[in-house]
Amino acid sequence: MHHRTSRRAGRALALIIMILAVPAAAAQAAATPPGATTGSAANVAQQTARLIGAVDPNGAQTSYQFQYGTTTAYGAVTPPVTISGDGRRTVTADLANLAPATVYHYRLIARNAKGLTKGLDRNFKTRIQPLGVTFAATPNPEPFGGTTVLAGQLTGTGNAGRDVLLQSNPFPYTQGFKDVGNRVVTDAAGNFTFNLLQVPFNTQYRVTLPDKPSVVSPIVVVSVQVKVSTHLGTTTVTRGHKLTFSGAVTPAADGTPIAIQKKRGTTWVTVAGTVARHHSASSSRYSKKVTIHSGGTYRVYAGVANGSYVPNTGREVTIHTHR
């Protein structure tokens, strides 16, 4: 009797398991490849866009993504996203780092255990990037009589092979900008360069496009440093005695404050001062006797403030003292 009861219970349990398994098996059998419909592109800008589509998982766990690129070979793909259930639902993906004024192809693809579905190819064109100009001078400031390079880049759609014109406005900046030299042509990346052999005094520069005057670079002020020479009769002196610092400021900048400075740690401290006086049409001169209390590193600072030039320092000199 006991064995008969056990057999009946086992058959009942097997029947229950079969009944429970039927819906799952039926659902798996009913699952089909997903639906994938490529939709429109929205929020299209110079380098970004949002792709829209619709996916129907058809009862199975489904992953979807957008393929995109400048041809129907695509070449790029958005990260996969997994969804499940039944029914059509809207999906999106945001694209970045696109090239301006460029046609992009795209399509939506979806995959589940029953297969892969590819949506139709569609395309959009990113917006034109307006032209802009970056501009800088190296070196800046430059020593009087030296050279500098003005270089920059024309950015935006159609930046290659464009004529660029340099303009200047010298101190006191009341003349207005006038053309300087010949035009140059931007390279394939929009780069351009102007080599200036000499800037006589502080001058504003900018570049513009002759065929599009509204495109103008930021103004770059190229500053010109005066030259400062330093002469000492000796670099060894008895402590507490005087040492004469002398030299010239070029070009002439009569009345320029001159500071004799000593280095203390990382700071320059003024220990004596004078002014530069007229020497010739091309230079001013200074001379100052300074009591040397201790050895160390010294320099001469010319604080020119006439607007035509900017301050500069002479060479650093090491002075030794003895008793």
Side-chain angles (χ1 to χ4, degrees), residues 17-56:
I17 293 174
M18 291 178 61
I19 292 172
L20 293 175
V22 166
Q28 185 173 0
T32 61
T37 303
T38 307
S40 60
N43 303 334
V44 178
Q46 296 166 11
Q47 295 180 297
T48 58
R50 169 168 289 184
L51 304 182
I52 303 172
V55 175
D56 186 346

Side-chain angles (χ1 to χ4, degrees), residues 261-285:
Q261 298 179 327
K262 184 176 187 292
K263 193 172 188 179
R264 293 178 181 168
T266 58
T267 303
W268 289 94
V269 177
T270 297
V271 296
T274 185
V275 296
R277 293 176 172 79
H278 182 75
H279 174 69
S280 68
S282 59
S283 69
S284 303
R285 298 196 67 83

Side-chain angles (χ1 to χ4, degrees), residues 14-95:
L15 180 60
I16 292 172
I17 293 174
M18 291 178 61
I19 292 172
L20 293 175
V22 166
Q28 185 173 0
T32 61
T37 303
T38 307
S40 60
N43 303 334
V44 178
Q46 296 166 11
Q47 295 180 297
T48 58
R50 169 168 289 184
L51 304 182
I52 303 172
V55 175
D56 186 346
N58 284 328
Q61 192 174 61
T62 298
S63 67
Y64 72 86
Q65 53 194 156
F66 288 89
Q67 296 176 314
Y68 66 98
T70 55
T71 69
T72 52
Y74 307 109
V77 65
T78 61
V81 178
T82 300
I83 58 176
S84 59
D86 271 309
R88 178 186 173 99
R89 65 191 66 183
T90 300
V91 296
T92 63
D94 291 322
L95 306 183

Side-chain angles (χ1 to χ4, degrees), residues 46 128-132 155-157 212:
Q46 296 166 11
I128 291 174
Q129 181 179 352
L131 291 171
T155 59
T157 303
K212 199 167 186 179

Side-chain angles (χ1 to χ4, degrees), residues 167-180 203-204:
Q167 297 180 328
S168 69
N169 182 28
F171 180 83
Y173 314 131
T174 55
Q175 165 193 285
F177 283 96
K178 293 186 177 181
D179 297 349
V180 179
T203 303
Q204 295 177 336

Side-chain angles (χ1 to χ4, degrees), residues 131-132 153-162 164 185-191 209:
L131 291 171
Q153 183 181 36
L154 182 64
T155 59
T157 303
N159 62 338
R162 301 290 291 263
V164 178
V185 179
T186 60
D187 65 15
N191 299 306
L209 272 64

